[in-house]
Amino acid sequence: MRWLFVLLGAAILAAVGAVIVVLPDDEPVRTATRTARPTPSETERTPSVPGFTDPCGTFDTGEKAPYAVTGYWVTPRSNPCTWRRQFQEIHQVGGDTVIRIGYGLQYRTVDDDGFVQAKDGTVDARYEDCVEDGLSCHAAAVRDLKAANPDNRIGRTYVYRTDESFGPGLFRCAPMERTIRGGKHLYFRVLAPMDGSDDPTCDFSRARTYDLILIAGAPEDSLTELLDLGDRFGVRVFPALPLAPRDPKVQIRANPEHLGTLTTLTRRILQDYGARFADRGSLGGVYQPFEVQMSESLTDEHPTLQVYADQHKIVQQELPEKPILISPYLDARKRVAFGQTPAQVAAAFKALTRTGVGIIAPQDSRGTGKVGLFWPDQRDEEVDERLRSIVGETTYGIAYHGSTRDYYREMATAREEMLEAGFNVQLWANVEAFEPSGDKPCAPQGTRGKTDKKRLDQAVTMAGRYVQKIVSYMWSDYMTCGTPSLESELKKDWQRPIAVDAIRRARAPQDGVEVRGYNLKDGTVSIEWSGGSREIVVAEAGWLDLDPLEELPEHMVTAWVPFDWTLVPAGEWVRIRVRTAAGQETTEPLHVRIAA
């Protein structure tokens, strides 16, 4: 079951090692058969649910074009019909996971009347309707605190916006903490000691200084809506936790000054989730959206890692069966001081794992141009033209410390070590479905443009067999941008095979090659080297396993065909492709080298 963290896959990683692969003389093999019957599983595959009709229209809940990517980020939308349409579109291309973009906790000042101010010093329109008894919510909170003890005061004011609504589980100390209706919002007033202790005694008669957290929420809860859609479409939802305030001096770090308040808000929200949603199967976990670069400099004292560790503890208390998902980024560029090698990133993976997060989904960083997609024998080739705005006109070897494949392989090895040490963590690949720039930017802000399915296939290939799941940033904007959109390309070309890995493997008495990938059924494996080529039809001469029973992404299968490796000179790079009976061929060949 892909949602349980089990100690599988170590043997495969050991066999694969790096791109250079060797067949041990005493390697055990299974008896060759033409096609293995998959073992049914009630938990691994996305459940089948009927279509439905509601005021937004009629929705088809079936898969139409299942692709290798099975999860997507989405941005919040105010129109419920948009949510429904996005879930249908995502599920039609095989998606079973939706990850929400979230909002940040912000420290704010207030004016003389207690109204929350925007950064320019004006009253923030989002909070000006937060009024009680003719007083601003801040002034009303001060009044109520002083009624309990004249020496009580509010030291800091924070705001948090969301399209969610919360139940009574958000509050510890009602009626001092309460819901306030104002305009189109529901406001939630939370009061807690400034030290982040969140005292459960609710003894306001003792003079203290409090943090005031004002949440601008919605009358209708978007998370309930998303979980209901998850039930209908067989999709797991990861709502976003509050984003930490950023350090004004180092924007890529969380601000340590506000971590206590962030912990309080996170605890309250997760308490409410636990009361309302703990048993919902469509709640896959929670997502912490504060990004951090995977760097060797990450330590337990890093403030962002403190955020992860603190929130993990709360999740374990309130939602013990649900993991925290994070998605840090890579930077492999040699010409920047902060570029990291694969070994340094592997060290960062271990540091992140020690915070207790359950899923690490590193961004492949090809969309931002920080990492390239290339094989070891392509290091002297010119970089993709679409990367030149980031690294210039140069070769892959000069521009980057390694390919995304090198980084995922090293992180997979680091994961195995952490599993052996008792940490439960999964490694996902977050392939970026955009380009560094484009003629027509896909998002309202920035210059990032549309990519194509060929490049997305290449990114999937480079993730290899090293990850447990492939997700993508993101659906809204990038998958639906341009003509034709990437979504339409997927639906048109989803049956094209994608080979992600090949190793030399004997099946007595024959030597051969094992290929992992997608849409390999009824395929022909093509092997090409300097001295010749071979084409072997899997169904006629080989073996196909539709359910490898390992920690592999959804839809991945294994094919084996006989091949005499003595035909290939030692140390030569071999290119391996797969072609279907319909003539569709892998767009990215595998580059494999057998050691001397």
Side-chain angles (χ1 to χ4, degrees), residues 400-422:
Y400 300 111
H401 289 291
S403 168
T404 58
R405 192 175 184 88
D406 300 320
Y407 288 88
Y408 282 115
R409 183 177 61 246
E410 290 296 320
M411 286 186 286
T413 300
R415 173 182 179 255
E416 291 301 321
E417 295 176 8
M418 298 308 289
L419 289 175
E420 291 174 1

Side-chain angles (χ1 to χ4, degrees), residues 505-517:
R505 186 182 294 276
R507 302 185 67 81
Q510 294 176 294
D511 201 356
V513 59
E514 180 181 280
V515 180
R516 288 270 170 89

Side-chain angles (χ1 to χ4, degrees), residues 305-356:
L305 268 62
Q306 292 180 32
V307 171
Y308 298 159
D310 290 347
Q311 293 189 334
H312 165 69
K313 293 176 183 176
I314 301 170
V315 171
Q316 286 295 99
Q317 294 167 0
E318 306 300 335
L319 296 168
E321 301 300 321
K322 310 294 183 181
I324 289 182
L325 162 68
I326 62 172
S327 187
Y329 64 93
L330 308 176
D331 197 327
R333 292 175 293 173
K334 287 184 175 178
R335 292 175 176 174
V336 297
F338 41 82
Q340 300 287 293
T341 66
Q344 290 172 318
V345 165
F349 184 92
K350 294 179 181 179
L352 292 170
T353 300
R354 284 191 289 269
T355 68

Side-chain angles (χ1 to χ4, degrees), residues 17 36 48 82 87 120-121 123 152 154 211 229 265 291 313 322 376 445 517 520 542 575 577:
S48 176
T82 302
F87 269 66
D120 61 3
V123 173
N152 280 334
I154 291 175
D211 282 335
L229 287 172
L265 177 60
E291 296 179 0
K313 293 176 183 176
K322 310 294 183 181
Q445 293 86 29
L520 305 184
R575 298 200 175 191
R577 297 176 174 84

Side-chain angles (χ1 to χ4, degrees), residues 34-36 495-497 517-526 535-546 557-561 577-585:
R34 287 286 184 250
T35 302
Q495 292 177 304
R496 181 177 298 277
Y518 304 88
N519 298 321
L520 305 184
K521 186 178 181 181
D522 300 325
T524 297
V525 176
S526 172
E535 289 195 348
I536 308 112
V537 179
V538 176
E540 294 178 0
W543 170 89
L544 181 70
D545 186 354
L546 297 176
V557 300
T558 300
W560 179 88
V561 293
R577 297 176 174 84
V578 179
R579 185 179 67 254
T580 66
Q584 290 176 300
E585 188 174 64

